[in-house]
Amino acid sequence: MLKKEKIPKVTIQRMAVYLQMLEELEEEGEEVVSSTRLAELCGVNSSQIRKDLAYFGEFGVRGVGYYVRDLIASIKHFLGIQKVWNCAIVGIGNLGRAILRYKDLSKKGYKIVGAFDCDPFKIGERVGDLEIICTRRLKEKAKDLNIKIGIITTPPNRAQRAANHIVEAGIKAIVNFAPTRIQVPDDVIVDYVDFSTHLIYLSFSLSNLGK
Amino acid sequence: MLKKEKIPKVTIQRMAVYLQMLEELEEEGEEVVSSTRLAELCGVNSSQIRKDLAYFGEFGVRGVGYYVRDLIASIKHFLGIQKVWNCAIVGIGNLGRAILRYKDLSKKGYKIVGAFDCDPFKIGERVGDLEIICTRRLKEKAKDLNIKIGIITTPPNRAQRAANHIVEAGIKAIVNFAPTRIQVPDDVIVDYVDFSTHLIYLSFSLSNLGK
DNA sequence: ATTTTTTTGTGAATTTTTTCTCAAATGGAG
DNA sequence: CTCCATTTGAGAAAAAATTCACAAAAAAAT
């Protein structure tokens, strides 16, 4: 039963995990999978999977399970990743370059179509098949290149300025890799990717083993 | 009042955000901050902050707020990041190199003391002040170098093998950047950092604006 | 010295998320 | 064709997380 409740962020995140695992299963030639088996592989509870899927519709067959290929297609469809999303990177340091060279992104439907930096020494340099462009030209380029997602990989003290350029360009979604919070209007979605947050979680857990 | 309940993972993650923001405030010369102000800056509810802190003790002064410098010290103490954590990177591709060159890590108490890869052409190569070592030697090196955290930055099909080496070396905490799940014993903590999960969340949100 | 204002810490209420349970559907075996 | 073993979908129950609301404490104002 499809509901129009709002879907929790954690559900979407788990969806991405299920999708990843389903694609591995498909590669291994599996045609059908039960929620129990998928749950084991993903390290979650099986009714969690069924509940998550129920937000979007009914995809399984009772007594059988889920057809892997079909479920992949359905998930991609309702997550909005059957199409290609054009992205811009702002801040071409080590991390920015690593992302630019990361081939899997295009396989997954994300294409980096613009590389921006405000350092005059970098502007004009080629990285892969892109030329680094001045961040001030982001607004003008965003339209031409149909950019929908901005990726911030600047140092923390430049992140807010990068965010401002992205917002001004009319882009409504940002992934921020800079280890700092940014302020944006309510209609812009920001997602934070912070390596040190993950390390902190681990060191806390290690410090508290057995407590 | 300090309780010995188990502390939710989300609390630890928010703690890392509060810490980040507190350090920015300290740099700006702020001496005191209220939960309301900190909450605004971090984009959360103010009683959320007070509840989170209550897991660890009482740090504020009624009618005043929190002393920024003291609170930073307390948080670092109970998160276990007053000391330095030695880490190993397994998989020296673009991402691995970007992390190796990422200076802020050591400022935050994480030191990368070993760079491992199984590609014979890479072994012996220098990256920064480390030499790339064969992954099979991880076990032997882990003791010498007192490695506590393993960072996987291999391609997905190598991630499980990397995880096996890390587990065999007696390391109990893993950050996995490879876009795949890994299987480890129950006493090993794994945290996943997956860029495409974040992009998927954004494309889903963009596809459903206003719905 | 007393009142007012501010702000923490925490129990209670609320909301959200997860897990449990089981009827209903499906395919295969006898 | 009927029975048995599976497995989904979804309501109910349980658990967890968040927010509310306010007494208690501290500082500032009168």
Side-chain angles (χ1 to χ4, degrees):
Chain A
M1 185 207 49
L2 193 76
K3 321 151 192 213
K4 52 176 159 237
E5 324 170 37
K6 101 168 204 315
I7 295 159
K9 184 171 175 177
V10 280
T11 290
I12 304 301
Q13 291 171 331
R14 280 193 299 264
M15 236 49 229
V17 174
Y18 306 155
L19 181 58
Q20 205 169 69
M21 191 52 75
L22 287 164
E23 287 179 330
E24 287 185 28
L25 288 170
E26 193 190 27
E27 245 174 77
E28 289 162 18
E30 303 278 339
E31 297 191 350
V32 176
V33 70
S34 69
S35 57
T36 311
R37 173 127 164 65
L38 187 59
E40 268 171 32
L41 293 168
C42 297
V44 300
N45 182 293
S46 67
S47 38
Q48 178 92 84
I49 292 187
R50 298 198 296 275
K51 263 277 146 60
D52 283 339
L53 288 171
Y55 280 107
F56 304 97
E58 298 187 11
F59 305 98
V61 182
R62 296 179 186 206
V64 180
Y66 300 87
Y67 291 102
V68 174
R69 181 198 287 272
D70 293 354
L71 188 54
I72 291 173
S74 304
I75 293 178
K76 282 189 175 176
H77 177 75
F78 59 64
L79 288 184
I81 48 179
Q82 0 63 298
K83 60 178 220 161
V84 173
W85 291 87
N86 288 346
C87 309
I89 297 212
V90 185
I92 312 301
N94 292 321
L95 180 59
R97 284 168 211 265
I99 293 173
L100 278 166
R101 290 198 205 98
Y102 182 40
K103 298 289 187 298
D104 271 20
L105 274 191
S106 58
K107 274 187 220 154
K108 294 188 176 173
Y110 300 93
K111 192 173 173 196
I112 294 168
V113 296
F116 298 86
D117 203 294
C118 63
D119 178 350
F121 290 103
K122 288 183 185 163
I123 291 164
E125 185 191 325
R126 293 198 76 82
V127 185
D129 34 62
L130 291 177
E131 186 183 317
I132 299 177
I133 301 171
C134 175
T135 310
R136 263 169 296 167
R137 294 180 57 203
L138 180 56
K139 188 175 181 176
E140 135 207 358
K141 286 285 178 183
K143 268 83 190 172
D144 300 352
L145 298 170
N146 191 29
I147 294 168
K148 298 293 184 194
I149 297 176
I151 301 169
I152 299 178
T153 49
T154 63
N157 59 336
R158 295 277 167 74
Q160 184 61 57
R161 230 177 305 166
N164 296 345
H165 281 293
I166 291 171
V167 169
E168 263 193 60
I171 296 167
K172 301 294 185 195
I174 297 176
V175 190
N176 181 19
F177 280 87
T180 186
R181 299 280 117 175
I182 53 178
Q183 308 296 324
V184 297
D186 281 351
D187 64 336
V188 178
I189 310 151
V190 181
D191 204 23
Y192 293 90
V193 184
D194 187 350
F195 184 29
S196 63
T197 302
H198 294 265
L199 288 174
I200 286 172
Y201 167 66
L202 290 182
S203 46
F204 171 75
S205 304
L206 288 173
S207 302
N208 290 277
L209 281 181
K211 279 186 204 167
Chain B
M1 187 206 49
L2 192 76
K3 319 149 192 217
K4 52 175 157 239
E5 324 170 37
K6 102 167 203 315
I7 295 159
K9 183 171 177 180
V10 279
T11 290
I12 304 302
Q13 291 171 331
R14 279 193 300 263
M15 239 45 232
V17 174
Y18 305 156
L19 180 58
Q20 204 169 70
M21 191 52 75
L22 286 164
E23 288 180 329
E24 287 184 30
L25 288 170
E26 194 190 27
E27 246 175 75
E28 289 162 19
E30 303 278 339
E31 298 191 349
V32 175
V33 69
S34 70
S35 57
T36 312
R37 174 127 163 65
L38 186 58
E40 269 171 32
L41 292 169
C42 297
V44 300
N45 181 294
S46 68
S47 38
Q48 179 92 81
I49 292 187
R50 299 198 297 274
K51 264 276 147 64
D52 283 339
L53 288 170
Y55 280 107
F56 303 97
E58 296 187 12
F59 306 97
V61 183
R62 297 180 186 206
V64 180
Y66 300 87
Y67 292 102
V68 174
R69 180 197 288 270
D70 293 355
L71 188 54
I72 289 173
S74 303
I75 292 178
K76 282 189 176 177
H77 177 74
F78 60 64
L79 288 184
I81 47 180
Q82 1 62 299
K83 60 179 220 162
V84 172
W85 291 89
N86 288 346
C87 309
I89 297 213
V90 185
I92 312 301
N94 292 321
L95 180 59
R97 284 169 209 265
I99 293 174
L100 278 166
R101 291 198 205 98
Y102 182 41
K103 297 288 187 299
D104 270 20
L105 274 189
S106 58
K107 273 187 221 157
K108 295 189 175 172
Y110 300 92
K111 192 174 172 197
I112 293 167
V113 296
F116 297 87
D117 203 295
C118 63
D119 178 350
F121 291 102
K122 288 183 186 164
I123 290 164
E125 183 192 326
R126 293 197 77 81
V127 185
D129 36 62
L130 292 176
E131 187 184 315
I132 299 177
I133 301 171
C134 176
T135 310
R136 263 169 296 166
R137 294 180 58 203
L138 179 56
K139 188 174 181 177
E140 134 207 358
K141 286 285 178 181
K143 267 83 191 173
D144 301 351
L145 298 170
N146 191 30
I147 293 168
K148 298 292 185 196
I149 296 176
I151 301 169
I152 299 178
T153 48
T154 63
N157 59 336
R158 296 277 167 73
Q160 185 61 56
R161 231 177 305 167
N164 297 345
H165 282 292
I166 291 171
V167 169
E168 263 193 62
I171 296 167
K172 301 294 186 197
I174 297 175
V175 191
N176 182 17
F177 281 87
T180 185
R181 300 280 118 176
I182 53 179
Q183 307 296 324
V184 298
D186 281 352
D187 65 335
V188 178
I189 311 150
V190 181
D191 204 23
Y192 294 90
V193 185
D194 187 349
F195 184 30
S196 64
T197 302
H198 293 266
L199 288 174
I200 286 173
Y201 167 66
L202 291 182
S203 45
F204 171 75
S205 303
L206 287 174
S207 303
N208 291 276
L209 282 180
K211 280 187 206 169

